[in-house]
């Protein structure tokens, strides 16, 4: 049975190697030597695959205009999975890329059936957290889908001409009218930056979780079909592994009890973490004898993705687990200390961003 990628689902992906082969995603190892600077997501293969990222890096190297585009559907609150994208944006911006972030309010309204007023309010929160994470608002753009101009919406209408229902079902599986509109809108999000009105960025990379690849496949097909008419080029993309929720499935805004949100009270985050699924054995004696299984552990993933920056220290955490020298309770308590400190520091910056009024200055909001 093939790997199922559902951009609207909440299940974890278990076999990333199979995903590379089945969907034609290239291993990130191919381009590591071309990165101007190292980053732990690349070194640890948290970012595990790409499409044409080598072309984007080559354009960056030669001083051409490059951009990074990604979006957030504000159907809940930002969590540590969201923060992975923030971190990728921060890093790519530091290399010289122009950052553009879309708040997918149309998609939230259509697919999640959210109230527009709620979505708009939460969109402000997503952008405030992004800036607090380290994205420079002076070198970035932020917008809601429903606040865009005619040229953007014209793309959605034009795209619908050169794609068939059979092709879309082959990419996404079963579809509703709302999901069709949401998918074509995402293609406009990714490709509109290439139009002269929006900057004429011919080299755009999209950092996403692996579950979002259907949107990239559709968009690349549409770019090919509109190359002659609109001068569109295929976007590049990089893919990160999905951060597990505390129950072992994908961390999701729609399942708050199993996610660590960036605005969680640190004491609440502690309670969630202490109840999280681990890679421990059935008993302490068995774990001391056989060792734990960190590759199955949501706590170890937090160390890899967010809590330990030094690789030698991370290896020590891994070794202590697999040899049984440290049991899950002790390991969780260490993670709790690091996580609470990280949340407190981030929330202080977040409050500063909100009080500064910068979000209202940079975010183009829709009218009702």
């Amino acid at each position: 049975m093939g790997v199922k990628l559902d951009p609207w689902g909440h299940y974890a992906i278990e076999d990333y190697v199979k995903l590379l082969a089945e969907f034609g995603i290239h291993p990130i190892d191919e381009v590591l030597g071309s990165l101007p600077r190292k980053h732990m997501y690349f070194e640890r293969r948290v970012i595990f695959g790409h499409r044409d990222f080598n072309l984007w890096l080559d354009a960056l190297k030669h001083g051409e205009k490059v951009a990074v585009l990604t979006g957030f559907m504000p159907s809940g609150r930002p969590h540590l999975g969201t923060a992975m994208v923030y971190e990728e944006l921060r890093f790519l911006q530091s290399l010289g890329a122009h950052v553009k972030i879309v708040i997918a309010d149309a998609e939230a309204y259509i697919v999640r059936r959210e109230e527009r007023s709620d979505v708009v309010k939460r969109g402000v929160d997503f952008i405030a957290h992004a800036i607090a994470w380290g994205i420079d608002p002076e070198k970035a753009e932020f917008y809601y889908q429903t606040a865009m101009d005619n040229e953007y919406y014209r793309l959605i209408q034009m795209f619908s001409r050169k794609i068939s229902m059979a092709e879309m079902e082959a990419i996404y599986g079963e579809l509703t009218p709302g999901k069709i509109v949401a998918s074509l809108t995402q293609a406009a999000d990714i490709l509109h930056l290439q139009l002269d009105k929006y900057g004429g960025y011919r080299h755009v990379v999209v950092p996403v979780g692996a579950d979002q690849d259907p949107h990239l496949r559709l968009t690349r097909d549409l770019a090919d079909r509109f190359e002659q008419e609109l001068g569109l080029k295929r976007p590049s993309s990089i893919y990160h592994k999905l951060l597990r929720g505390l129950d072992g499935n994908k961390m999701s805004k729609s399942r708050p009890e199993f996610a660590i949100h960036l605005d969680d009270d640190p004491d609440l985050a502690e309670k969630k973490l202490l109840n999280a699924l681990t890679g421990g054995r059935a008993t302490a004696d068995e774990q001391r004898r056989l060792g734990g299984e960190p590759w199955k552990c949501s706590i170890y993933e937090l160390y890899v993705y967010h809590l330990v920056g030094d690789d030698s220290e991370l290896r020590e955490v891994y070794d202590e687990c697999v040899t049984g020298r440290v049991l899950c309770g002790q390991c969780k308590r260490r993670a709790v200390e690091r996580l609470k400190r990280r949340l407190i520091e981030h929330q202080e910056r977040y409050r500063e961003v909100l009080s500064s009024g910068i979000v209202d200055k940079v975010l183009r909001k829709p009218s009702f």
Side-chain angles (χ1 to χ4, degrees), residues 27-264:
I28 202 65
D29 301 60
E30 295 177 351
V31 301
L32 292 181
S34 300
L35 283 171
R37 289 200 303 277
K38 291 183 178 182
H39 187 280
M40 69 179 190
Y41 281 7
F42 289 95
E43 297 299 308
R44 296 175 182 179
R45 309 308 190 268
V46 173
I47 297 174
F48 69 94
H50 77 101
R51 295 186 192 275
D52 293 337
F53 189 44
N54 55 311
L55 302 180
W56 188 91
L57 287 170
D58 189 59
L60 174 70
K61 179 180 178 181
H62 288 91
E64 298 180 50
K65 290 173 62 175
V66 296
V68 51
L69 183 289
T70 199
F72 302 102
M73 184 165 60
S75 57
R77 294 144 51 214
H79 52 61
L80 288 178
T82 315
M84 291 175 64
V85 184
Y86 291 158
E87 178 61 21
E88 292 169 54
L89 293 172
R90 187 201 61 76
F91 174 68
L92 294 171
Q93 187 183 59
S94 75
L95 299 182
H98 177 72
V99 168
K100 195 163 189 178
I101 296 176
V102 50
I103 300 299
D105 61 320
E107 184 175 1
Y109 177 80
I110 294 168
V111 178
R112 301 293 188 198
R113 308 185 73 82
E114 299 278 346
E115 292 295 328
R116 286 191 65 210
S117 58
D118 293 338
V119 170
V120 171
K121 291 176 183 177
R122 287 197 293 265
V124 170
D125 209 41
F126 273 75
I127 297 306
H129 279 291
I131 296 171
W133 197 266
I135 294 171
D136 183 352
E138 301 298 324
K139 300 176 182 178
E141 294 180 83
F142 312 90
Y143 72 96
Y144 290 86
Q145 290 171 323
T146 58
M148 291 297 279
D149 300 321
N150 292 339
E151 290 84 352
Y152 167 91
Y153 282 105
R154 191 177 297 126
L155 286 178
I156 301 171
Q157 296 165 333
M158 294 177 72
F159 290 163
S160 68
R161 173 176 169 172
K162 295 188 180 182
I163 192 77
S164 70
M165 191 66 186
E167 288 173 315
M168 292 200 70
E169 288 176 340
I171 293 173
Y172 290 99
E174 185 177 351
L175 286 167
T176 63
K179 288 182 177 180
I180 293 171
V181 172
S183 300
L184 294 175
T185 302
Q186 286 220 18
D189 288 322
I190 295 169
L191 294 174
H192 81 278
L193 271 167
Q194 297 188 33
L195 302 180
D196 289 340
K197 172 166 182 170
Y198 299 108
Y201 292 93
R202 306 298 187 225
H203 305 283
V204 179
V205 65
V206 185
V208 290
D211 58 332
Q212 300 299 305
D213 186 55
H215 294 315
L216 270 300
R217 297 203 304 275
L218 171 67
T219 302
R220 286 165 65 86
D221 285 347
L222 288 169
D224 288 345
R225 295 171 194 188
F226 281 90
E227 183 173 6
Q228 294 300 318
E229 188 171 352
L230 297 176
L232 299 179
K233 302 292 185 183
R234 289 182 173 186
S236 304
S237 49
I238 53 176
Y239 300 91
H240 61 252
K241 296 177 181 178
L242 303 179
L243 180 62
R244 295 175 190 268
L246 302 179
D247 64 341
N249 283 310
K250 182 177 75 173
M251 190 169 286
S252 170
K253 298 184 294 290
S254 62
R255 302 165 58 251
E257 67 273 26
F258 301 116
I260 301 296
H261 294 87
L262 298 182
D263 62 357
D264 272 347

Side-chain angles (χ1 to χ4, degrees), residues 266-279:
D267 291 336
L268 173 60
E270 176 178 359
K271 291 178 182 178
K272 289 182 179 180
L273 218 61
L274 292 177
N275 289 319
L277 181 71
T278 71

Side-chain angles (χ1 to χ4, degrees), residues 351-367:
R351 287 190 291 270
E352 291 172 359
V353 169
L354 284 182
S355 64
S356 72
I358 186 65
V359 178
D360 288 333
K361 294 178 183 178
V362 302
L363 181 56
R364 183 175 182 180
K365 295 181 183 179
S367 58

Side-chain angles (χ1 to χ4, degrees), residues 279 281 286-295 300 315-327:
R281 302 291 181 173
E286 186 177 347
Q287 184 152 338
R288 291 189 183 96
R289 180 167 50 87
L290 300 176
E293 299 175 295
W295 51 90
Y300 181 70
R315 282 193 294 272
E316 180 66 18
V317 172
Y318 182 92
D319 290 342
E320 287 179 336
C321 177
V322 297
T323 59
R325 299 201 308 271
V326 171
L327 302 182

